[in-house]
Every structure is written in structure tokens, then in C-alpha cells.
Amino acid sequence: MLNEDTKTVAHDCGDCPIRHRAVCARCETDELERLEEIKYYRNFEAGQTIIWSGDRMDFVGSVVSGIATLTQTMEDGRTQMVGLLLPSDFVGRPGRDGSPYDVVATTDMVMCCFRKRPFEEMMVATPHIAHRLLEMTLDELDAAREWMLVLGRKTAREKIASLLSIIARRDATLNLQPAQNRLVFDLPLTREAMADYLGLTLETVSRQISALKRDGVIELEGKRHVTVPDFSRLLDEAGDDTDGGLLV
Amino acid sequence: MLNEDTKTVAHDCGDCPIRHRAVCARCETDELERLEEIKYYRNFEAGQTIIWSGDRMDFVGSVVSGIATLTQTMEDGRTQMVGLLLPSDFVGRPGRDGSPYDVVATTDMVMCCFRKRPFEEMMVATPHIAHRLLEMTLDELDAAREWMLVLGRKTAREKIASLLSIIARRDATLNLQPAQNRLVFDLPLTREAMADYLGLTLETVSRQISALKRDGVIELEGKRHVTVPDFSRLLDEAGDDTDGGLLV
DNA sequence: CGCAGAATTGATACATCTCAAGCTGGGTGG
DNA sequence: CCACCCAGCTTGAGATGTATCAATTCTGCG
């Protein structure tokens, strides 16, 4: 089983699609060489659980392609997604043994993993890694706080619009599309996963998506393929400051 | 005005009440000496805004005593608290100019401030600071994610119980009380601030507090002085895993 | 073709919000 | 010393948004 997951195919860090955004972004050539020695790639299938809450983790790593979610679950089954991991995002926490969350692949995924102990040693030795990780963690903290506003104060319609605009924005920057008012992308989440992200039920998600479609804010082709004819309109529906800025 | 706020009274870092928890916790003696050169104390009154959202910040620092809040506000006035800063917590973000949130003192406060530029230079030079800051930021991220579960999935009653248990826990650890089942503390927040924290209205907060009191989960003396006769009962009401552990 | 998972839609229940009216306690000025 | 005031809080009644329960309807796939 593990043998199937693990691929030792060596990619060159120089060609890596997430080279400029991941935890290694600031590394010099010699630092990259040392990283290459402790790295290995691992594939996960859609639906596969990467880490169970509470389990011991012996690696950390970066999402190379695909999407994963962090979720928390209460005893009675209520679940809340607390993080969405897109390519270049970091998984795991140096200095702590277990993850407090379930990490689940929602699409097929490739991860660039580092054995935890050697990585922690490298962090001490090469400040570039520690510095970049701090920067990324501060960004994640900002994103989490942004999301607290969504969860605590926005209506169901605003929540959906917020999620769509975040996915649209990240998708556009990743694919290096120019900032446009019309955007097209695929939803990487089921209605249920969206509900878990937004603190709603899947029925409410479905109703609000239908409503946004009915009102012309979005267009749907199938269940997943979304067209946003006017991005600033979507931002408006999300209740965000539309300080003019597109795709920052 | 600024003259009144700023106190140049030099405290010795060795005697500092937050020495072992703050961003300087890992510093050696010589590092502390360099920190002392760029630090200054500043007092804030209850209700005073420390930083306005979007404003330029020329300092970072640690809360020495008192309590501050981070809040986000939408155009129509809806507000969500996204952070509660207690003694030893860090304020500001090295590497970024402005704060995306309002930072407000909810009680009289003392802060140990560092001028931002010299502090950023020290971060590069002394890994102990950067490392401790990463550790603290990861803890804050965990706390933020915990809070996302509260905001997204818990009922009003569970939300109140969650907030009370967090305050009780932090208060007990700060005052180094032994782990007991009976806890006594003062609420540092108004009903409105609690509502902003929990994504509720202040009326709902008031009703749920009354209900918890009626059900014997808490006892009130005045509006702010709280007694929790059975802490595990409170944790139960919060919907948390009561994995036996008191005050970890 | 027909099944199973995913999504939509409808009817009703219920938790929380909203609006509105008092209450309480600590401070102030006459 | 009392009367008043006001911010903070409590309580009530009704409105509303979202959850819940229950059918269908899609859609991709063996």
C-alpha cells in the first residue's frame, strides 16, 4: 500500500511549479541541494486521509498539486473545515508531534515531503527556511482571521460569494491569468465540503448557489464549472470592501 | 498626549512578569541586553484604540499587563473579534507595514514596545527571537482554528461555555493556580465584546449567561465576577472533548 | 440500463436576531 | 445625602434566516 503511494521519482527543484511560493522559496542553491537529500514525493488519491487527528506525524511537506482540507470534528459528528491547502501550502508543524486536525485529500494530490527530524535540523541551520515558514504562517493566520469574520458575521449568501471569490482569486493567480472581470474556474469542493467550510448545511449551500445563479451573479455548467461574468459584482455580494482592487 | 502615553521607566527584563512566555522567552543574556536598547514601555487606557485598521505601524511589542482585542469591521458596521491579546501575546507583524485589524485596549494596559525596523534587524541576527515568534504564531493559528469550530458549528450556549472555559483556563495558568474543579475569575469583556467574539448579539449572550446561571453551571456576583463550581461540567457544556484533562 | 452518490427543491421547525421596554449600579451635581 | 443619569445589562414578543426532514432529480459510471 505504502509502496504504491510513494514515488521516488526525483524532480529537480529548479523545475518545481511551486518553487517560488513554497517553504523553500528563499533557499539558495546549496540549501536546495541539502533539501533535495531529505525530500521525497508522495501521491494521494481523492478522498484519502493523509493524517488523522491526533496521530503522530513523521514528516512535513508542501502541496505540489491538488487540494487538501484540514477539518475538526466534534464528538457528535459536527465538522468544521479550518483550512484549505492549495499548491505551495505547507503541511505539518515543526516542533510538534501530532496534528490536531484531519488532513484529507479532496482531489488527487502530489506532496513534496521532508522527514521531520532532518527538516527541523535544517530549520535551525538555514534561516531562510525558518524565515519563509514564519512568513507563510503569518499569512495563514491572516487568512484564518478573515475566515472568522465570514463564519461569525456573514449571511449564507455572503458566505458562498466569499468562498467563490477566494477560489476564483487563488485560481487566477496560480494560473497567472491577467486580472479580468470575467473569470472561469472549477469548484474543487463538493457541496458538503463547502458547507463544512462555511458553517452551513449542504442544503443551504445548494439553495444559495441556485439563488446566485438565478440572479446572474454566476453561471454554471454542470455542477462544478463556474463562470463569473462580473467579478466586482461577486465581491459586492461577498460584502467585502470593493476598494476597486481586482485580484491582489 | 503622546507624552502622557509614553513612559520611559526602565524595567529590568530579568524581573519582567512575561519574561518566560513572550517573544523574548528564548533570548540569552546578551540578546536581552540588545533588546533592552530598543525597547520602551507604553501605557494605554481602557477603551483606547492602539492601532487603527490600515494604519501604518512603526512598532511591534508584547502585552505586559491588561487585555486588548483585534477586531474586523464590515462597511455596514458588523464587527467580528478575531483575536484576544492577553499578557505575553505579541502585537504587530514584522515585515508588513500596517495592521489589517483594529487593536483596542479593553482594560488599562502596559505594552513593551520595540521600534519596528531595529526589531526586524534583530530578528535576522538572533534566531532565538525568530524561532520563538514562529512558535507563538503557530500557537495563535491553532487557537484561531479552534475558534473557527466555535463560530461555525457551536450553538449559542456552547459558544458562551467555550469562551468562559478559555478565559478561566488562561486566568488559572497565568495566576499559577493549581488545577481545581472550582474556579473563580473576572470577565474582562463586556457582553457586547463577548458577542463580537462569538458571532452573536449581545441579547443572546445575556440570555445564555442567564440560562447557564439558572442551570447552576456558573454563579455570578455582579455582572463580571464568575464562579465555576464544576469546571468539567462547563467543558461538557462547551461541547469539547472532556478527555479528563483539567487545565492543560 | 440502472444504480449510487451528489445535488436540488419543498415544507416545516426552531434558534437566533430584531425591536422595544425596563432594570441595575456606580458616579455626579445640586 | 439624595435624586438623577447613563452605560451596561436583562427580559419580552415577534420576525426571520437557516436547519431539518423528506422527496425527487441529476450525473457519471460499471
Side-chain angles (χ1 to χ4, degrees), chain B residues 154-157 199-201 203-204 207-208 223:
Chain B
K154 291 195 178 179
T155 66
R157 171 184 262 243
L200 298 170
T201 59
E203 293 95 329
T204 299
R207 274 186 252 272
Q208 296 300 333
K223 312 292 188 188

Side-chain angles (χ1 to χ4, degrees), chain A residues 2-13:
Chain A
L2 260 179
N3 299 338
E4 290 286 82
D5 289 345
T6 309
K7 289 202 178 177
T8 46
V9 179
H11 295 276
D12 184 4
C13 287

Side-chain angles (χ1 to χ4, degrees), chain A:
Chain A
M1 188 62 106
L2 260 179
N3 299 338
E4 290 286 82
D5 289 345
T6 309
K7 289 202 178 177
T8 46
V9 179
H11 295 276
D12 184 4
C13 287
D15 300 337
C16 181
I18 58 169
R19 169 76 178 88
H20 56 299
R21 293 201 68 198
V23 71
C24 50
R26 298 287 179 80
C27 288
E28 309 289 350
T29 320
D30 60 323
E31 293 167 336
L32 274 188
E33 278 167 16
R34 262 180 295 166
L35 267 184
E36 298 224 43
E37 283 167 25
I38 62 169
K39 92 179 185 195
Y40 56 98
Y41 290 90
R42 210 168 146 187
N43 290 10
F44 297 94
E45 288 174 16
Q48 198 175 350
T49 296
I50 300 172
I51 303 151
W52 294 95
S53 161
D55 269 15
R56 188 180 172 70
M57 280 184 72
D58 54 355
F59 68 96
V60 297
S62 301
V63 178
V64 176
S65 65
I67 289 179
T69 64
L70 298 185
T71 57
Q72 272 191 305
T73 305
M74 294 172 67
E75 296 158 71
D76 61 7
R78 283 176 279 177
T79 71
Q80 174 66 48
M81 197 185 298
V82 297
L84 189 59
L85 300 173
L86 304 184
S88 83
D89 283 338
F90 188 78
V91 181
R93 170 168 173 172
R96 196 173 283 186
D97 272 349
S99 162
Y101 322 106
D102 292 330
V103 184
V104 180
T106 60
T107 65
D108 288 348
M109 270 186 69
V110 179
M111 270 190 65
C112 173
C113 302
F114 308 103
R115 279 177 299 127
K116 190 148 150 289
R117 187 59 56 86
F119 184 84
E120 285 168 357
E121 284 159 10
M122 269 203 74
M123 266 190 47
V124 177
T126 71
H128 284 146
I129 293 181
H131 189 255
R132 174 66 185 143
L133 189 55
L134 174 59
E135 195 171 54
M136 291 174 73
T137 307
L138 285 164
D139 282 341
E140 269 191 278
L141 186 56
D142 280 345
R145 285 174 166 160
E146 189 72 34
W147 209 253
M148 288 172 72
L149 174 66
V150 172
L151 288 172
R153 292 302 186 194
K154 291 195 178 178
T155 65
R157 171 183 263 243
E158 289 169 335
K159 284 179 175 181
I160 298 288
S162 297
L163 179 56
L164 292 177
S165 64
I166 283 186
I167 293 172
R169 186 184 279 119
R170 284 213 52 164
D171 191 81
T173 55
L174 204 69
N175 300 335
L176 298 173
Q177 293 177 0
Q180 295 178 40
N181 224 9
R182 162 177 285 262
L183 291 173
V184 181
F185 59 94
D186 281 304
L187 277 176
L189 301 174
T190 65
R191 301 288 186 261
E192 187 178 17
M194 294 175 71
D196 283 344
Y197 203 153
L198 296 168
L200 298 171
T201 59
L202 80 170
E203 293 95 328
T204 298
V205 169
S206 183
R207 275 186 250 272
Q208 295 300 334
I209 288 181
S210 298
L212 288 175
K213 182 177 155 193
R214 184 164 55 250
D215 298 344
V217 181
I218 60 174
E219 292 155 20
L220 276 184
E221 205 173 319
K223 311 292 188 188
R224 299 293 193 89
H225 195 74
V226 181
T227 300
V228 179
D230 180 357
F231 190 62
S232 58
R233 168 89 191 279
L234 184 65
L235 287 179
D236 231 50
E237 292 284 356
D240 291 338
D241 289 6
T242 323
D243 46 1
L246 281 180
L247 303 178
V248 179

Side-chain angles (χ1 to χ4, degrees), chain B residues 219-240:
Chain B
E219 291 155 20
L220 276 183
E221 207 173 318
K223 312 292 188 188
R224 299 294 194 91
H225 195 73
V226 181
T227 300
V228 179
D230 180 357
F231 190 62
S232 58
R233 169 88 190 280
L234 183 65
L235 287 180
D236 231 51
E237 293 284 357
D240 291 337

